[in-house]
Amino acid sequence: VHGHALEASGLVELVVTIQALRDGKLPVNAGFLDADPDCALDLILDAPRPARSAYGMSVNSAFGGANTALVVRAG
């Protein structure tokens, strides 16, 4: 949902992850079109879901190999 941030997308996703930890809510899965009946996933589709976690992870794959996996701890 943040468009073509290209190599800054890892930072954008990290900010969203940190905010989700602070707010105690998991964000909605953006861009969901249709469920695969062979893949049971617990998707958040209508509204953010309350959740508490000590850790959050953002995984991002961008153009040109700018791939990141960032783990942050709450508090």
Side-chain angles (χ1 to χ4, degrees), residues 1-2 5-23 25 27 54-61 68-74:
V1 295
H2 47 73
L6 292 178
E7 295 187 21
S9 60
L11 177 61
V12 173
E13 289 185 16
L14 180 63
V15 170
V16 171
T17 301
I18 291 170
Q19 195 62 45
L21 283 173
R22 286 184 178 172
D23 291 348
K25 294 180 182 177
Y55 297 92
M57 184 168 97
S58 172
V59 179
N60 179 269
S61 298
T68 58
L70 302 168
V71 177
V72 292
R73 183 176 63 157

Side-chain angles (χ1 to χ4, degrees), residues 31-56:
F32 177 78
L33 299 176
D34 194 20
D36 181 347
D38 294 330
C39 186
L41 295 175
D42 182 16
L43 298 173
I44 303 168
L45 301 175
D46 52 357
R49 181 184 303 163
R52 291 284 175 200
S53 178
Y55 297 92

